[in-house]
Amino acid sequence: MAQSQHLTAPVGTVVSRMRALDADLPARDGVAVFNRVYLAVTEEVERRLRTGRFTDPEAAATLDVRFAERYLAAVAADAAGRRPPACWRPLFQFRRHPGVRPLQFALAGINAHIGHDLALAVVDACRTLGCEPSDLQDEFDRVGDLLVSLEERVREDLMPGPDLLQVADPLTHLLGSWSLERARDATWSAARALWALRRFEDLAEEFTERLDAAVGLAGRMLLIPLGD
């Protein structure tokens, strides 16, 4: 029991910070939309840690916290008037745009967090735990499975009903252009590459910047205003 509390306490801290954001932000704010999605994932991770659902709970907790901290750092940077990573800038820029639909905000946040932050979080966790990415793959996959199942629920909750979402609706085509599962696979490859480059600081920095920019471009495409 003490071990469980020790591991879940840091996760509980990031859950509390996300709940505070949820309470502070207007419901229609784009960051608030993503935050609700991510809060549900993190609460589920916390619940599974408490009930012993992870094979390596220390690795799962460390990865989850390092992952969440990158999102929370981006939010704090934007609130303080500093430039967040490029992957997050489209969401912060368009967060109040009336022509962007809630589902777009959710997917843009997921894109930034999975496509960029997760790869860096794997490296952060490996450094913290003194392990290799391969040692984290099982927990990476379990957290990824949670995210994929949540993406399905997000689409169901935020997507217009069949009577409203027509074949000609641009949202239909936008949804078909991005896949969390493909993004997760690419992220694992990026994490392994970053780990391999960790002793070559210039190359690692260049790789990270290019990853950030590419994910930011995808986020900008996901946030094309579509109107009602």
Side-chain angles (χ1 to χ4, degrees):
M1 185 65 162
Q3 174 71 0
S4 173
Q5 290 176 339
H6 168 70
L7 293 174
T8 57
V11 179
T13 297
V14 295
V15 165
S16 296
R17 292 173 66 187
M18 285 185 232
R19 286 176 178 161
L21 279 173
D22 186 52
D24 289 344
L25 295 173
R28 184 61 174 76
D29 181 283
V31 176
V33 173
F34 168 71
N35 189 76
R36 287 193 295 274
V37 171
Y38 191 31
L39 174 58
V41 171
T42 311
E43 287 174 334
E44 179 62 17
V45 170
E46 184 181 32
R47 187 185 71 79
R48 293 189 182 197
L49 282 168
R50 290 187 188 282
T51 55
R53 297 280 297 279
F54 288 103
T55 305
D56 187 341
E58 183 179 12
T62 301
L63 179 59
D64 184 73
V65 171
R66 295 293 177 268
F67 189 29
E69 285 174 342
R70 288 194 169 272
Y71 157 63
L72 292 168
V75 172
D78 182 71
R82 303 190 306 273
R83 280 169 70 82
C87 61
W88 285 106
R89 287 176 210 155
L91 181 59
F92 292 129
Q93 180 183 357
F94 286 89
R95 63 193 294 177
R96 298 181 183 89
H97 197 296
V100 178
R101 304 185 196 180
L103 181 56
Q104 292 176 262
F105 288 133
L107 293 182
I110 292 170
N111 169 70
H113 204 37
I114 300 297
H116 173 266
D117 293 355
L118 185 52
L120 275 62
V122 169
V123 174
D124 293 342
C126 286
R127 286 177 171 148
T128 299
L129 297 168
C131 68
E132 297 285 323
S134 57
D135 298 319
L136 294 180
Q137 186 163 8
D138 285 348
E139 308 316 322
F140 176 94
D141 289 341
R142 284 181 174 84
V143 172
D145 289 343
L146 262 180
L147 291 162
V148 169
S149 66
L150 184 74
E151 185 203 15
E152 294 169 359
R153 196 172 82 193
V154 165
R155 289 174 185 255
E156 290 173 3
D157 291 348
L158 298 180
M159 188 161 48
D163 54 329
L164 298 176
L165 189 60
Q166 303 298 325
V167 172
D169 191 322
L171 184 59
T172 306
H173 302 284
L174 187 65
L175 292 176
S177 69
W178 188 84
S179 161
L180 190 151
E181 213 158 353
R182 289 196 300 268
R184 184 182 66 171
D185 291 344
T187 290
W188 182 246
S189 297
R192 292 175 59 210
L194 278 170
W195 185 250
L197 291 171
R198 68 191 183 282
R199 295 185 181 89
F200 305 97
E201 292 184 10
D202 290 348
L203 285 174
E205 183 177 353
E206 181 179 347
F207 184 95
T208 302
E209 288 176 357
R210 290 181 182 275
L211 176 66
D212 190 20
V215 173
L217 178 60
R220 177 64 186 83
M221 300 301 291
L222 286 168
L223 291 171
I224 292 173
L226 302 176
D228 296 327

